[in-house]
Amino acid sequence: MRVMLFMMFCLACTEARSESLFTFSNTPGQHAVGVRVVKQYDRTRTFTPQQGMLASLFSRQESRGRPMQTVIWYPAEKGGQGVRYDDYLQLVGWETDPERSPKEQARTVDAWLQMVTDGKRKQQVESERRRRMWAVRDAVPKAGRYPVVIYAPSINNTTFENADIAEFLASHGYIVIAAPTIGETGRWIKKDLEHAELQVADIRFLIDHARTLPQADMTRVAVAGFSWGGLSNVLAAAKDERIKALVCMDGAVRYFNSIVTQAKYAVPEKLRTPLLFLAQTPASMENNIRYKEDMSGSFMSRMSNADVYLLTMYPMDHVHFGSAYIRLDDPAEYKEYTPEEVSFAYSLGARYILNFLNGYLKNDASGLAYLANRPVANGAAPHSMKMEYMPRKGKR
């Protein structure tokens, strides 16, 4: 009987592990991690939801300004139990209306999960919702001053799409601040310069908010962005000298040249902000044509006055640069690389981000040495990654 129970227990554990496609293989740094959610508004801007004329006259959002759902991860004192992943999912549904009722919000979370999974893989979703994270809600902040990383999500997306990297950086002594990507009059944005500049203004608002945090060292600020956020953060750096380093996770600055060139203020030769670009496995010319990617120019290749690192990660498709999507992905989508290989590549990418930020925000020589290594020396499988370094002009 005991043998049978033990076998059933082992089988249950195996099934629980197999439900998740994502494993973050990095260990925490020296700090515990706290997470705090702030409901606030940018009162310098308006936000008028698309609705009837009478309703818009009495809009809560219009009178209060642009809603800015703000999530902050930070070094914390030890103690407490980490949030469940479901606590992050509960951020879905009130990005444009902080006063939305819990019942409305719950419906929106369910609809969002239905959309991203096509209503399938319920066991996988429920398993992810129960998983514990590193961050403790509203933990006591650790004394000290820490560099700030603003995180800019992909198009129309959430604050927590890369919660794993945010927690990882916070455990190594960074404050990470994120807000969702929202439009001018609703939840959704369009792929044009006007909407990119909405996110640019959001980034600058979050930098201003960081100034109110006693832990924040405002002399050391970076902006990381995934996809669309990896275009907006470059535009933000062209406008804001407070930004000292950039991380693009398969950033759209590489794929939307026509939008970038419309921003006349974003002159690559004038940008002095060091950049780490993590790139997906290269697409075929045919796919680039099919999806109408505008790769007629390269902003990065013209950044002659900034250090640029380009890490090509062959196990990674574009969507894999958001851990939220790996967690909820369809196992059938994995062909050339396994979920374990993709998770490991994601985890290694997080270590590259940490060492890049350590090198450029903390003047850590070992961080720069890490970037100079061949990827296999940093733990990558042979032929799975390639690093290209384009030093700033005059630097050898």
Side-chain angles (χ1 to χ4, degrees):
M1 183 66 178
R2 288 182 180 178
V3 173
M4 181 64 71
L5 289 172
F6 178 75
M7 291 175 64
M8 291 173 64
F9 174 77
C10 290
L11 179 61
C13 290
T14 301
E15 288 175 348
R17 284 197 300 271
S18 67
E19 289 166 10
S20 179
L21 299 183
F22 180 72
T23 301
F24 193 58
S25 57
N26 297 335
T27 56
Q30 66 271 39
H31 301 287
V33 178
V35 63
R36 180 165 69 250
V37 179
V38 180
K39 295 181 180 182
Q40 60 179 333
Y41 296 83
D42 180 354
R43 301 183 189 282
T44 68
R45 294 183 285 167
T46 59
F47 183 87
T48 308
Q50 293 175 329
Q51 53 187 336
M53 182 179 297
L54 183 61
S56 68
L57 291 175
F58 299 98
S59 166
R60 293 192 301 263
Q61 288 89 347
E62 184 178 17
S63 63
R64 295 177 180 175
R66 180 174 172 82
M68 294 292 295
Q69 180 196 80
T70 304
V71 181
I72 306 170
W73 292 268
Y74 54 92
E77 297 289 349
K78 296 185 185 300
Q81 191 171 41
V83 299
R84 294 190 186 276
Y85 196 70
D86 190 63
D87 291 299
Y88 288 140
L89 288 174
Q90 297 308 313
L91 295 166
V92 172
W94 57 273
E95 296 93 340
T96 60
D97 185 1
E99 311 308 321
R100 179 170 288 191
S101 72
K103 186 177 291 187
E104 289 178 304
Q105 182 184 332
R107 281 199 299 265
T108 307
V109 172
D110 289 341
W112 185 82
L113 288 169
Q114 179 88 4
M115 177 184 69
V116 299
T117 64
D118 297 324
K120 303 173 183 176
R121 307 188 300 284
K122 291 184 179 179
Q123 187 178 8
Q124 177 185 343
V125 170
E126 290 308 309
S127 177
E128 288 300 330
R129 296 181 83 156
R130 292 191 299 268
R131 288 179 74 179
R132 288 286 179 189
M133 303 294 288
W134 295 353
V136 175
R137 184 184 291 276
D138 298 323
V140 176
K142 187 77 175 287
R145 302 287 296 281
Y146 304 97
V148 174
V149 180
I150 306 300
Y151 178 74
S154 58
I155 196 164
N156 297 323
N157 262 305
T158 65
T159 52
F160 63 89
E161 70 178 3
N162 272 307
D164 297 275
I165 286 178
E167 291 185 345
F168 179 63
L169 292 177
S171 79
H172 284 274
Y174 289 88
I175 299 169
V176 183
I177 309 176
T181 319
I182 65 173
E184 187 174 15
T185 60
R187 181 67 184 88
W188 313 116
I189 71 169
K190 299 176 182 178
K191 295 178 181 178
D192 58 29
L193 179 60
E194 177 185 356
H195 286 84
E197 289 181 330
L198 279 178
Q199 194 173 31
V200 169
D202 291 345
I203 290 168
R204 300 183 75 184
F205 174 86
L206 293 179
I207 296 175
D208 287 338
H209 179 71
R211 294 171 57 192
T212 69
L213 306 177
Q215 285 181 300
D217 181 350
M218 298 307 297
T219 66
R220 300 183 290 176
V221 176
V223 185
F226 167 37
S227 191
W228 187 256
L231 181 156
S232 302
N233 68 339
V234 174
L235 298 183
K239 286 187 168 186
D240 200 321
E241 293 184 351
R242 294 176 295 180
I243 300 170
K244 305 301 183 185
L246 289 168
V247 175
C248 289
M249 304 168 70
D250 211 36
V253 70
R254 195 182 201 192
Y255 305 108
F256 290 92
N257 189 64
S258 59
I259 293 177
V260 180
T261 54
Q262 290 173 41
K264 301 303 182 185
Y265 57 85
V267 180
E269 292 84 358
K270 292 184 178 180
L271 193 62
R272 299 179 180 275
T273 315
L275 167 67
L276 170 65
F277 193 102
L278 308 179
Q280 66 173 310
T281 188
S284 66
M285 179 180 71
E286 289 73 19
N287 261 340
N288 286 332
I289 293 170
R290 179 183 177 189
Y291 293 110
K292 298 181 174 61
E293 303 288 14
D294 180 9
M295 302 176 74
S296 57
S298 171
F299 190 94
M300 285 189 292
S301 69
R302 294 172 53 197
M303 288 177 60
S304 54
N305 285 297
D307 290 339
V308 176
Y309 298 84
L310 172 59
L311 181 67
T312 302
M313 309 176 74
Y314 295 103
M316 304 286 276
D317 290 332
H318 183 71
V319 71
H320 295 148
F321 288 91
S323 61
Y325 314 121
I326 304 176
R327 288 174 179 273
L328 302 173
D329 210 352
D330 185 347
E333 294 293 319
Y334 289 81
K335 299 292 191 295
E336 295 298 324
Y337 295 92
T338 66
E340 292 78 14
E341 288 173 312
V342 170
S343 286
F344 180 77
Y346 178 95
S347 302
L348 190 57
R351 297 205 290 272
Y352 268 94
I353 292 170
L354 173 64
N355 279 280
F356 172 78
L357 295 174
N358 285 348
Y360 284 93
L361 295 187
K362 295 184 177 181
N363 296 315
D364 180 2
S366 65
L368 298 179
Y370 184 96
L371 300 176
N373 290 339
R374 294 179 59 217
V376 289
N378 292 333
H383 316 299
S384 67
M385 297 186 188
K386 178 183 178 182
M387 173 64 88
E388 298 171 69
Y389 174 44
M390 294 165 272
R392 66 182 182 270
K393 186 168 58 179
K395 181 178 179 181
R396 291 293 182 266

